[in-house]
Amino acid sequence: MRTPNSPHCVTLALALILPGCGEIETAQFLVRPRRDDYASQVQPILEKLGCSANAACHATAQGDLKVVVDPKAKDLDDNYLGVKAKLNLDAPGKSVLIADLLPTSASATADHNPVCFKSATACSYRKLLAWIAWNAEGDPRPQDIDCTPNYGEESDDPCADADVQDVCCPRGD
């Protein structure tokens, strides 16, 4: 149940002066995507994928996106807003954040190099998509996606393992 103090809602009270009534109407606006899910689900995915691995990635601002690892409150807010700017809430699958991380055959205009998901079935891809697509209570959130991201941490070359889907890999031709 949504309450006026829910972290994913912004409550705006409007005083309407109706003849003889003086009633107060309350309108609630959802903040999309959920900021709390960014902190608990999305930020860790971006860190594990290596989006802020070094200066060539997003540890410093690249393509108007910076992802600070282990962020303080201000940095986390900046990370959220930077990532949010890369989203298309009307067509979540077309969001730059994830569309540019799919192999070229899945996204002809993908130009994010050298990082990619091996396919749209990758666990982290599906969790990010759920975060972007969330629109109302009852919609799946990232934590509702039944999978465990596999980043290939046990291998020196996770890109060589066909089973590793959630990994930053150099793009092939």
Side-chain angles (χ1 to χ4, degrees), residues 45 48-51 101-103 112 114-119 122-125 149-171:
I45 287 173
K48 291 291 268 181
L49 286 171
C51 295
L101 298 177
L102 283 173
H112 194 278
V115 201
C116 69
F117 292 111
K118 288 188 178 178
S119 76
C123 179
S124 292
Y125 176 89
N150 180 357
Y151 300 106
E153 296 166 341
E154 296 176 15
S155 169
D156 287 339
D157 184 9
C159 298
D161 184 348
D163 293 329
V164 177
Q165 295 290 307
D166 300 293
V167 68
C168 297
C169 294
R171 285 196 188 279

Side-chain angles (χ1 to χ4, degrees), residues 59-146:
T60 58
Q62 301 289 326
D64 298 327
L65 180 61
K66 182 177 179 181
V67 180
V68 175
V69 176
D70 296 324
K72 304 290 184 245
K74 171 73 170 104
D75 292 327
L76 184 63
D77 194 47
D78 289 346
N79 288 354
Y80 168 77
L81 293 173
V83 168
K84 186 176 177 176
K86 302 291 183 188
L87 306 181
N88 181 336
L89 299 177
D90 295 326
K94 293 183 180 180
S95 295
V96 171
L97 179 72
I98 57 177
D100 279 3
L101 298 177
L102 283 173
T104 312
S105 61
S107 177
T109 61
D111 61 3
H112 194 278
N113 200 6
V115 201
C116 69
F117 292 111
K118 288 188 178 178
S119 76
T121 62
C123 179
S124 292
Y125 176 89
R126 293 186 294 131
K127 286 180 175 281
L128 291 172
L129 186 63
W131 177 66
I132 299 165
W134 181 87
N135 194 32
E137 294 301 325
D139 285 352
R141 293 168 54 194
Q143 56 269 42
D144 298 328
I145 303 303
D146 187 24

